[in-house]
Amino acid sequence: VQLQASGGGLVQAGGSLRLSCAASGNFFQVDKMAWYRQAPGKQRDLVASITYSGQSNYEDSLKGRFTISRDNAKNTVYLQMDNLKLEDTAVYLCGADIQRVKSGLTLTFWGQGTLVTVSS
């Protein structure tokens, strides 16, 4: 199982970026998917998560600027980031809880991270 994140880059403050993270490999179903971020010298924090049925959860301070969504047919989660601020600069990582077989154990997998840099 692999998670491949993409979409990071350099953007000016006030701009937008859309991150994607696709799961691939041999598995039954991708359950909860989530985005985390880690700024230099800081801990990893949850940005947003979304269940298989589409129920989403956000870090409070990001509500209204960030939107998480997913396409179950593509096993892909997206993070639309609008009105980006300097403090959003971080490595963004995706995580997913994956059932390898039906009704089997769920394991958490991580992508490699994608760097988002917001400039003034």
Side-chain angles (χ1 to χ4, degrees):
V1 178
Q2 287 189 327
L3 293 178
Q4 182 68 44
S6 61
L10 176 64
V11 63
Q12 285 192 323
S16 298
L17 279 177
R18 188 191 194 210
L19 307 182
S20 300
C21 178
S24 62
N26 190 15
F27 53 83
F28 170 69
Q29 181 172 289
V30 182
D31 292 335
K32 182 181 289 187
M33 304 185 83
W35 286 98
Y36 291 76
R37 67 184 183 182
Q38 188 165 17
K42 296 188 177 181
Q43 67 182 20
R44 183 178 298 182
D45 293 323
L46 176 68
V47 173
S49 65
I50 187 167
T51 65
Y52 182 84
S53 61
Q55 188 170 15
S56 58
N57 178 60
Y58 295 89
E59 199 283 323
D60 285 345
S61 67
L62 301 177
K63 290 179 181 178
R65 293 196 300 121
F66 288 16
T67 303
I68 192 170
S69 61
R70 65 187 288 168
D71 183 335
N72 289 334
K74 297 181 179 179
N75 296 310
T76 299
V77 63
Y78 305 96
L79 185 69
Q80 176 68 38
M81 305 184 293
D82 298 318
N83 190 22
L84 283 160
K85 302 178 180 181
L86 296 179
E87 55 264 38
D88 294 320
T89 294
V91 173
Y92 285 71
L93 304 102
C94 62
D97 295 337
I98 294 178
Q99 290 184 54
R100 297 295 295 270
V101 297
K102 186 176 182 180
S103 301
L105 183 67
T106 297
L107 299 176
T108 299
F109 292 84
W110 293 93
Q112 83 285 6
T114 184
L115 177 62
V116 172
T117 304
V118 184
S119 65
S120 59

